[in-house]
Amino acid sequence: MKSNVGKLLSTAAIAATISAGATAATLDDVKAKGFVQCGVSQGVPGFSNADVNGEWSGIDVDACRATAAAIFGDAQKVKFTPLSAKERFTALQSGEIDLLARNTTWTYTRDASLGLDFTAVNFYDGQGFMVRKDLGIDSAKDLDGATVCTEQGTTTELNMADFFRKNQLSYVPVVVQKADEALSAYASGRCDVFTTDKSGLASHRTKLANPDQHVILDDTISKEPLGPVVRHGDNQWKDIVTWALFVQVNAEEMGISSKNVDQIKSGTTDPGIKRLLGVEGDMGAQLGLPAEWAYNIIAKVGNYGEVFERNVGPSTPVGLPRGINKLWTDGGVMYAPPVR
């Protein structure tokens, strides 16, 4: 989900302050309070969603937990702050949260003008459209005259406007404050179409009374690389959050999972794996982390494949295929620099 550029520029004063004098002590602050304060969505199944007991799960939640595991050796040392699309960047800029992991798209404007830095992509996505099956629509180009629901404070509005203008189609936008409100408006028949990132559509479809009566069209109208965001100017903190994900991708590529990491750690002769798991050298020291920082991420949270499968994979209600989020060795684009 993606913030409207014009509205985001209203935060320029905060961004300028951060860029000019960002605090380079996020790790120290996190250690002092004993947890990572992580900004997440207000409820997107598979990405960040709380159950009836208040337990959070999802790909973005696991990004927060991986960071905590790297620092503390404990993936549970995280507190979550649910944020709307409109609130999320201000919460990070102001220091209310340490890390934003809220299915947030990496764009030029966000990276260059908000006093924020994107770290790494944890899900490659694209914007799409969901409609009722009984409408008999097969393509987004058949949506001429449609009423379309979307969330306020997202560039979904801009992508949608570009798509309809480019294809010379008319439409009526219905813009609401929150994603769940957009879904409710769609479910009630107030609009014909619901648009957001395709992963978000799959997630929200699970909340509908009869999910099978709704279809996500094949059309993908934008690129949406999603990933965690931190404040600009604290390179150490950015590196920690970035490499927490890179460790998970490298672990999957090496065949290391939460299930076998202890066995591999005790028996491997591979120097690359020894470095990764802290058996040889002390790679963690370069980030101000323990020697077993990467081992802790894998043991406590899992590799990237495990994170994907348990949160949004084919066996979950969200039911997404790996697609382009496969490893580069399997024909996807998920790729991480080596730990060496």
Side-chain angles (χ1 to χ4, degrees), residues 1 88-89 100 102-106 110 118 225-227 229:
M1 300 176 187
R88 56 183 162 177
F89 295 121
L100 177 67
R102 191 200 173 283
N103 53 310
T104 296
T105 304
W106 189 344
R110 291 175 175 180
F118 283 78
L226 311 177
V229 193

Side-chain angles (χ1 to χ4, degrees), residues 106-147:
W106 189 344
T107 69
Y108 168 78
T109 299
R110 291 175 175 180
D111 209 0
S113 67
L114 297 181
L116 304 176
D117 282 335
F118 283 78
T119 56
V121 176
N122 66 352
F123 193 92
Y124 289 93
D125 208 347
Q127 186 175 330
F129 299 94
M130 180 165 65
V131 300
R132 296 168 185 81
K133 280 185 179 179
D134 59 17
L135 291 180
I137 293 174
D138 298 319
S139 167
K141 293 183 179 180
D142 297 330
L143 295 176
D144 191 26
T147 302

Side-chain angles (χ1 to χ4, degrees), residues 24-292:
T26 307
L27 177 60
D28 292 339
D29 293 342
V30 167
K31 285 180 175 179
K33 64 188 177 185
F35 60 88
V36 178
Q37 191 75 47
C38 194
V40 292
S41 77
Q42 293 166 314
V44 178
F47 284 82
S48 51
N49 195 56
D51 64 18
V52 293
N53 298 316
E55 294 295 324
W56 285 88
S57 64
I59 284 180
D60 287 333
V61 168
D62 282 344
C64 303
R65 295 199 188 284
T67 301
I71 299 166
F72 299 110
D74 186 346
Q76 301 304 311
K77 290 194 173 182
V78 185
K79 293 186 179 181
F80 298 99
T81 302
L83 298 165
S84 70
K86 188 176 180 180
E87 297 167 336
R88 56 183 162 177
F89 295 121
T90 303
L92 182 58
Q93 291 165 333
S94 67
E96 178 184 348
I97 57 176
D98 304 310
L99 162 65
L100 177 67
R102 191 200 173 283
N103 53 310
T104 296
T105 304
W106 189 344
T107 69
Y108 168 78
T109 299
R110 291 175 175 180
D111 209 0
S113 67
L114 297 181
L116 304 176
D117 282 335
F118 283 78
T119 56
V121 176
N122 66 352
F123 193 92
Y124 289 93
D125 208 347
Q127 186 175 330
F129 299 94
M130 180 165 65
V131 300
R132 296 168 185 81
K133 280 185 179 179
D134 59 17
L135 291 180
I137 293 174
D138 298 319
S139 167
K141 293 183 179 180
D142 297 330
L143 295 176
D144 191 26
T147 302
V148 187
C149 280
T150 195
E151 183 183 2
Q152 185 182 40
T154 67
T155 54
T156 299
E157 299 172 69
L158 301 179
N159 294 335
M160 177 174 63
D162 286 349
F163 172 80
F164 281 96
R165 182 179 178 184
K166 176 181 177 181
N167 290 284
Q168 298 182 330
L169 304 173
S170 64
Y171 75 106
V172 178
V174 177
V175 182
V176 296
Q177 290 283 341
K178 300 177 181 179
D180 277 347
E181 292 174 2
L183 182 66
S184 295
Y186 168 75
S188 70
R190 185 179 167 193
C191 48
D192 308 306
V193 186
F194 180 27
T195 184
T196 187
D197 300 340
K198 282 190 165 182
S199 63
L201 293 175
S203 297
H204 289 300
R205 183 169 59 178
T206 66
K207 301 178 182 180
L208 294 169
N210 297 290
D212 292 342
Q213 294 179 9
H214 305 267
V215 62
I216 299 170
L217 301 179
D218 289 338
D219 308 74
T220 302
I221 68 169
S222 68
K223 294 186 294 184
E224 308 296 333
L226 311 177
V229 193
V230 297
R231 285 180 292 279
H232 182 74
D234 190 340
N235 292 341
Q236 180 190 38
W237 185 246
K238 179 185 177 183
D239 286 346
I240 290 169
V241 176
T242 300
W243 280 94
L245 175 60
F246 285 165
V247 161
Q248 294 177 302
V249 175
N250 276 310
E252 183 183 9
E253 185 179 334
M254 292 175 169
I256 309 170
S257 71
S258 61
K259 298 177 179 63
N260 65 18
V261 64
D262 287 317
Q263 178 183 355
I264 290 175
K265 183 183 179 185
S266 63
T268 187
T269 59
D270 185 319
I273 293 177
K274 286 185 174 184
R275 281 194 301 272
L276 180 70
L277 299 182
V279 177
E280 289 184 356
D282 188 358
M283 306 302 284
Q286 299 176 52
L287 293 175
L289 298 176
E292 293 193 332

